[in-house]
């Protein structure tokens, strides 16, 4: 993408307090609603639909169907039911950018973009209750949990980025590519928590001991209250936020997502140092993406990309994920 395209799209997200409310399994209701579109289907029709019956295998959806007041499922019923969840997380969304408009070879490889140019970045920032508690920690305490960011597209300060999605798109093609979903903070916090737990189990410390000018119990309380609930939620929340932004704000109907193989190929990542496969295999499959052999046109038909990478290996066939909104 070019800078003027980035600037144009940034205007689509309102400035100020833009909240994204979600909860665990929210994505199931929202992706089913997108696939359902304007249709109103009875339960037995959902079970027979090749593209929708997979949702009927999910315990959360079965529970919803069982508690549903009638036999017909609509987009409205799906999009309002999730709000009854017992625990809803209010993230704050912001937009940023990544890469350079005209990078040299080294800069492009370092940025890990599938083509030359820039990516739009959608940031999920921690809920306010986390930020308030984190600000109450001392400088030493904060250093235990916060990742020392090195060139990643994040916010640090009064507002802190939990995770982000990098996106490439072309409005003329009406499609977008989600390059990656990633977090740093939660990964660093998990390692710090594991180190603390190991010390406790080994009898090297007790919860009353000091660790970086604070009791270990205080550190464990921060992790259990603010970090642990997000470790299983962040990936689905990040991908869902990116999809909602593309669909609802930009009007994109076809969303592509890298498989593990296409990601390491187009972004020139060593296969020995590739990203977690769960983020590029399990996650899009759970969201209802379909495996396809043809990727986004602005990537696969880009002459500069073809010259850079050459012909795809046969083993890379069916190496994209695609989600189409009805």
């Amino acid at each position: 993408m070019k800078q003027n395209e980035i600037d144009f799209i940034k205007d689509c997200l309102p400035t100020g307090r833009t909240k994204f409310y979600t909860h665990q399994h929210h994505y199931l209701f929202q992706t089913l609603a997108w696939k359902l579109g304007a249709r109103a289907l009875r339960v037995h029709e959902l079970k027979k639909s090749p593209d929708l019956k997979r949702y009927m295998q999910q315990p959360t959806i079965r529970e919803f169907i069982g508690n549903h007041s009638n036999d017909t499922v609509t987009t409205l019923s799906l999009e309002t039911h999730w709000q009854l969840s017992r625990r809803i997380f209010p993230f704050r969304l912001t937009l940023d950018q990544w890469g350079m408009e005209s990078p040299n070879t080294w800069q492009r490889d370092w940025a890990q973009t599938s083509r030359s140019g820039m990516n739009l970045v959608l940031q999920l920032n921690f809920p306010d209750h986390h930020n308030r508690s984190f600000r109450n920690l001392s400088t030493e305490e904060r250093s235990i949990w916060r990742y020392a960011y090195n060139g990643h597209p994040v916010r640090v300060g009064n507002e802190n980025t939990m995770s982000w999605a990098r996106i490439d798109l072309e409005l003329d093609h009406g499609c977008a590519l989600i390059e990656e979903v990633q977090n740093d903070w939660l990964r660093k916090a998990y390692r710090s928590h594991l180190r603390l737990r190991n010390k406790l189990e080994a009898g090297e410390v007790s919860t009353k001991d000091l660790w970086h000018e604070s009791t270990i119990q205080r550190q464990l309380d921060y992790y259990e209250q603010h970090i642990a609930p997000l470790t299983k939620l962040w990936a689905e929340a990040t991908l869902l936020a990116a999809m909602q932004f593309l669909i609802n704000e930009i009007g994109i109907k076809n969303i592509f997502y890298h498989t593990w193989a296409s990601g390491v190929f187009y972004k020139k990542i060593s296969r020995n140092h590739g990203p977690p496969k769960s983020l590029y295999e399990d996650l899009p499959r759970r969201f209802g993406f379909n495996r396809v052999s043809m990727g986004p046109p602005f990537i696969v038909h880009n002459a500069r990309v073809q010259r850079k990478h050459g012909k795809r290996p046969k083993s890379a066939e069916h190496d994209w994920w695609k989600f189409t909104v009805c």
Side-chain angles (χ1 to χ4, degrees):
M1 299 176 67
K2 297 180 180 179
Q3 184 66 60
N4 64 329
E5 295 173 318
I6 295 281
D7 293 339
F8 173 76
I9 292 174
K10 278 184 177 181
D11 292 336
C12 293
L13 191 69
T15 58
R17 299 176 62 85
T18 302
K19 290 293 184 68
F20 169 67
Y21 297 92
T22 191
H23 73 104
Q24 195 167 21
H25 306 309
H26 176 192
Y27 76 96
L28 287 171
F29 294 93
Q30 185 58 74
T31 55
L32 177 54
W34 282 327
K35 287 182 176 290
L36 195 62
R39 293 177 291 173
L41 297 182
R42 294 188 177 277
V43 173
H44 75 272
E45 293 176 307
L46 285 174
K47 292 179 179 179
K48 293 180 180 180
S49 171
D51 197 35
L52 302 179
K53 63 182 182 181
R54 58 174 294 274
Y55 288 94
M56 303 303 294
Q57 302 170 3
Q58 300 294 328
T60 306
I61 298 297
R62 289 204 303 268
E63 181 183 359
F64 160 72
I65 295 296
N67 296 331
H68 202 41
S69 59
N70 59 60
D71 193 41
T72 302
V73 177
T74 66
T75 296
L76 180 61
S77 65
L78 290 165
E79 291 184 337
T80 55
H81 173 79
W82 73 269
Q83 299 173 17
L84 302 176
S85 172
R86 294 179 180 177
R87 185 166 190 184
I88 295 176
F89 294 85
F91 296 102
R92 192 194 302 267
L93 299 180
T94 49
L95 285 176
D96 205 340
Q97 61 193 49
W98 175 257
M100 301 180 66
E101 188 166 0
S102 300
N104 58 37
T105 300
W106 181 87
Q107 290 167 331
R108 180 195 168 282
D109 292 347
W110 176 81
Q112 294 184 357
T113 56
S114 296
R115 61 171 177 167
S116 295
M118 307 175 71
N119 281 171
L120 184 70
V121 179
L122 183 72
Q123 300 163 324
L124 261 72
N125 302 301
F126 280 106
D128 289 339
H129 63 81
H130 165 273
N131 292 333
R132 287 193 297 269
S133 294
F134 189 73
R135 285 195 294 269
N136 289 333
L137 299 177
S138 69
T139 301
E140 285 289 332
E141 290 173 308
R142 290 196 294 268
S143 69
I144 299 170
W145 305 108
R146 182 167 58 195
Y147 186 84
Y149 296 108
N150 294 311
H152 283 169
V154 297
R155 290 175 175 242
V156 178
N158 290 333
E159 195 163 58
N160 298 285
T161 298
M162 178 191 74
S163 58
W164 67 90
R166 282 201 288 116
I167 302 167
D168 196 359
L169 63 90
E170 278 198 3
L171 295 175
D172 291 343
H173 288 100
C175 64
L177 167 66
I178 297 178
E179 291 267 29
E180 72 171 10
V181 295
Q182 188 173 334
N183 84 80
D184 287 328
W185 192 305
L186 300 181
R187 186 171 66 252
K188 162 73 182 301
Y190 173 77
R191 291 171 180 169
S192 296
H193 176 258
L194 186 62
R195 188 164 66 252
L196 268 179
R197 282 296 181 189
N198 288 339
K199 286 179 177 291
L200 285 170
E201 292 175 4
E204 299 176 8
V205 294
S206 75
T207 56
K208 296 181 180 180
D209 287 338
L210 290 178
W211 193 51
H212 289 261
E213 300 181 359
S214 172
T215 64
I216 289 180
Q217 186 60 58
R218 178 177 162 94
Q219 301 298 324
L220 294 177
D221 289 344
Y222 163 76
Y223 182 87
E224 295 299 334
Q225 182 178 355
H226 297 291
I227 301 301
L230 300 174
T231 55
K232 294 183 178 181
L233 178 73
W234 78 268
E236 64 185 53
T238 306
L239 181 54
L240 180 60
M243 293 174 68
Q244 279 198 352
F245 175 72
L246 291 169
I247 294 167
N248 297 343
E249 302 292 342
I250 310 297
I252 297 295
K253 298 297 184 183
N254 294 294
I255 300 175
F256 291 88
Y257 189 92
H258 272 302
T259 61
W260 189 87
S262 69
V264 298
F265 180 85
Y266 280 100
K267 293 185 283 186
K268 297 192 68 175
I269 303 173
S270 167
R271 296 183 70 88
N272 295 326
H273 299 90
K277 287 193 175 183
S278 61
L279 293 179
Y280 297 93
E281 299 298 332
D282 298 339
L283 182 63
R285 186 179 293 110
R286 286 196 285 124
F287 269 68
F289 280 75
N290 294 315
R291 200 91 170 209
V292 296
S293 58
M294 181 59 67
F298 59 85
I299 298 293
V300 297
H301 295 156
N302 186 301
R304 295 180 66 181
V305 172
Q306 291 177 349
R307 289 197 300 270
K308 181 73 176 179
H309 294 284
K311 187 177 180 179
R312 296 291 308 280
K314 290 183 178 180
S315 61
E317 292 180 359
H318 305 287
D319 242 351
W320 299 88
W321 294 106
K322 184 180 181 182
F323 188 98
T324 301
V325 179
C326 293

